[in-house]
Amino acid sequence: MTTERARPNYVAVWVWLVVLMIAGVLASYLPFAKSAVIFLVFVVAATKALLVALYYMHLRFESGLIYAMVIVPVVLVIALTFLLFPDLVFHH
Amino acid sequence: METTAATRAGTDILPGKVGVWWFLASEVMLFGGLIGSFIVSRLGSSGWSGEAAHLSVPVAAINTLVLLTSSMTMVMAFGAVEKGDPRGLRTYLFLTVLLGLTFLGIKAYEYSSEVAAGFTPVTGLFWSFYYTMTGLHALHVLAGIITNLALFVMARRGLRNQHRVELAGLYWHFVDIVWIFLFPLLYLT
Amino acid sequence: MSDPVAVLAIPEASLHHEELGFWRTYLFSTEHKTIGKQYLSLGLFMTIVGGFLAYVMRWQLAYPDTEVPGWGFVGPEFYNVLVTMHGTIMVFFVAMPILLGAFGNFLIPLMIGARDMAFPRLNMLSFWTLFVGTLVLLASFFVPGGAASAGWTGYPPLSAKAIYTGVNWGLNLWILAHAIEFASFLMGGVNFLTTAITMRAPGMTFFRLPLVVWQLLTAATLFLLSVGPLIAGAVMLLMDRIAGTSFFLPEGGGEPLLWQHLFWFFGHPEVYVILLPAVGFVCEVLPVFCRKPLFGYRWIIYSTITAGILSFVVWAHHMFLSGMDPRLAMPFSITTILISVPFAILVFAMIATLWGGSIRFTTPMLFALGFVSMFIVGGLTGIFNGSAPADIYITDTYFVVGHFHYTLFSAVVFGGFAGIYFWFPKMFGRMMNETLGKVHFWLTLIFFNATFFPMHILGLGGMMRRIANPMQYQFLQPLQPINVFITFSAILLLVAQIPFAVNFVWGLVAGTPAERNPWEANTLEWAAPSPPPHLNWGEAIPTVHRGPYEYSSPEGPEDWLPQDRLVVARSS
Ligand SMILES: [Cu+2]
C-alpha cells in the first residue's frame, strides 16, 4: 500500500519551511499595524504546519477517516478558545 | 442481497496508524487547551509584549530550524525504510536523535539564561505560561528522542516491524507542529 | 507490510499457543476477556470503598457530629474529604472501569468478531496503569494532611493553594491519580477505536454493529477529545500548587474561572462517557427480551452521535452562578435544552421497542427497564438545571445531587447490573440465580428512589450541596427528618447489594453451567462458547450476514436469527 504512493520531495518541503520561517520572523518586524503583523505571522505558521502535516505526515495521501481525526479536534480547540473570550478577554 | 466481504470488513489502514492518529487527536486537544488558555489570557491582559521582548528571537529561530530539519531527517528515515535501505535508515534516525538533543540543549541554554536574568515561572503569568508550554513541549521532545533512539537500536539489530518508523515519525512531526505554533505565540508577537 | 491478510495471519499463527504460566494467564494477561474481568474486579472493589464513604457521609448528615458506627467522629474537614473522594471514586474509579473498561474490553472484540484487541499489550498496560492510579488515590488517604477535600471538581482558588484546605500532598496525589487514570483510559480508548475500525469480521459493516459497540466507541471518542484541555488545566493547577505560579489565583493575575471552563469542557462529555455505555447495554438487553427488533436502529446511532457532538457545547450550564459572563447563559441554556432531543429519541426508541413485544421479565431485563424509567426522571430534572432561570435557584443544592444521582447512579447501577446479569454467563460460563437477582432488583429500585427522590425536596427547601451539618441552619432544621429518612434508605440501598454479592460469588463457584446462547440472542458474542476460549473463535472467525436485532424474523426456524447464521433464500 505504502510503496505505490508517489513520494513528495522532502528536501524541497524543507526549503519551503525554512523560507517561511525566515519570512515569519521578518514579518514580525514589519512596520504595519500590530493586528496585521500578528495575522501575517500566524498565516505563515499555519502554512508551515500544513506543509508538515500534508507532506511529512502524509496527510495528503490518507483517507477521509484520518482527515476527520485531525479536523474534529482542531475545530473543537478553536470553539473552546472562542467560548473563553467573554470571560477571559472581555472581562464583562 | 448479501454484502458479505471476502476478507475483514475493517478498513485496510494499518491499525498502528489509526491508533497513533487517535492519540494525536487527544494530544491536539491537550496542547490546544493550553494554547487556547494562553491566547485568551494574553489578549485579556496588558503588558505581555514587554515581557515577551525579554525572550531571544534569534536563539528560538535557530531552535525552530533545528526542529524543522529533524522533521526532514525523520521523514527521510521513513523514505529509507520504503527503499529498503537499512544504512540510510540508521543514519537518518541517528541524525534525528542528534537534532532532537540539540533542540533540548538550546532550550536548556535559553532557560538558564532567562532564569539568570530573573525570569522564573513565578515572575508573572506570561512566564508561567512560557515555562509550562515550552516545558510540556520539551517533555514531548524527550519522549520522541527516546522512541527514536529505541528505533535506532532496533534498526542496528535489523528492524522487523518497519512501519514503526512511520508511526514514530507521525508523533515527531506532531511535536514539530506544536513548536511551529509555540514559536510565534511566545516569541514573535 | 500493511497487507491486511498479513495482519490477519498474526493471531491465526499463534492459535496453537503454548501454555502460559499463572502470571501471564491471570495477572499480566494480554487477553481482552481477562483484562475486562480485571477492570470489573477493580471497579467492584472501588464500589465498596465509595459506598462506604457515602454511608459515613449520610450518617454525619442525619446525626451531625456524633460517632458514626463503624467509623468514628467525622467533623467538617473530614466531611469535605468524604464528599470529594466519594465523587472522584465513583466517577473515575467505579463508573469508568466497570462500564467502559470491563464491558468495552470484553464486548468489543467478541461483538465485532475479532480475536483480541488491536494492541493487546497496550491493553494490559492500560489496566495496570489504572491499577497504579487507584493505588495512588487510595494512598492519598494516608499521607499527612489526609486526602483531597476541594470537591470532586477541584475548583480553585480553594484547590490551588495548600493553606486553603489544609491538604497538601493529598490533593497533589489526587491530581496525579487523575492524570494516571486519564492516561489509562486514553490508551484504552485508542485501543477500542482502532479495534473496531480495523478488525471487524467479514460482513460486519458499521451499520451491522450492535448498538453497544457504537455507544462504547462514541464514549471513547468523547473521552479522547474532551480530556486534553482538562489535562492542560491539571498541569496548570499542579504548577500553582507546587511551583507557586498563579494561573488560577486572582492575586497573581490568574483567573479561577478558567479552571471551571476547562473542567466542564471535559466534565459534560464525561457524563456521556459514563451514560452511553449503559444506554448501549439497555439497547442490547431490550430486543433480546422483547423478542422483536430494536426500534429505530439507525436513528439511535444518529442520536448518539448528535448527543456526542452537542455535549461539547453545553458545559457552561454548570457555571450559571459562577460569575461567568451572563451573556453566555442563554446560548448554553439553548444547547442544553437541545441536547435533550437526541436523548428523547433514544428513550422513545426504547419504549417503542417494548411496544407489542413478548416481554420476558428476566433480571437483566428488569434492570434495563429500571434504567429507562429512572433515567427519564433524571432527564426531566435536568431540564430545570439546564435552564438558567431555574438553575439560579437550585444550583449547588440537593436538587442537583438528586438529579445527577438519578442519571449517573441509574446508569452505573441499573445499566451496569443489566450488563453484568446479561453477560455473566458469557464472561464466566455459569448462570446467576434469577430469584436472587429479582430480589436484588426490587430492593435496589425501592431504596434507590427512597434515597434520591427526597433529595429534590431538600434542594427546593434550600439545603446546600456540601454542608457537613444541616442542623447549623435554622431554616433547614424542619427538614432534618427527611435527612434521617434518606440516610436509612441509603443504608438499606447498600444492604440491598448483599443479594448481588452472594449471587455473584455463588454463580462463579456453583452456578449452572451456561450454554452457548442462554438468552437466545443474535449478536456475535453468543456464537462463541461460554466462556469463549483464548482467541475466541477456534479455527475460523465468523462471517456476518445481517444486522444484530432480527428477532421474530420469518426467515429462520426460531424467533431469533444470529448475525452469523447463513439462511439459504427460500425459492418459491
Ligand atoms: Cu453538564
Side-chain angles (χ1 to χ4, degrees), chain A residues 1-2 65 69 72-73 76-77 79-80 83-84 86-88 90-92, chain C residues 1-2 197 225 229 255 257-258 261 265 312 315 323-326 328 332:
Chain A
M1 185 174 89
T2 36
L65 177 82
M69 280 148 71
V72 170
L76 282 175
V77 161
L80 170 66
L83 284 164
L84 289 177
D87 275 344
L88 285 115
F90 303 147
H91 297 296
H92 55 281
Chain C
M1 76 190 210
S2 57
I197 289 170
L225 295 181
E255 174 57 91
L257 269 183
L258 177 60
H261 279 294
F265 180 83
F312 284 102
W315 79 83
M324 168 185 85
D325 191 327
L328 286 175
F332 277 101

Side-chain angles (χ1 to χ4, degrees), chain C residues 268 314 317-318:
Chain C
H268 195 91
V314 298
H317 62 210
H318 297 268

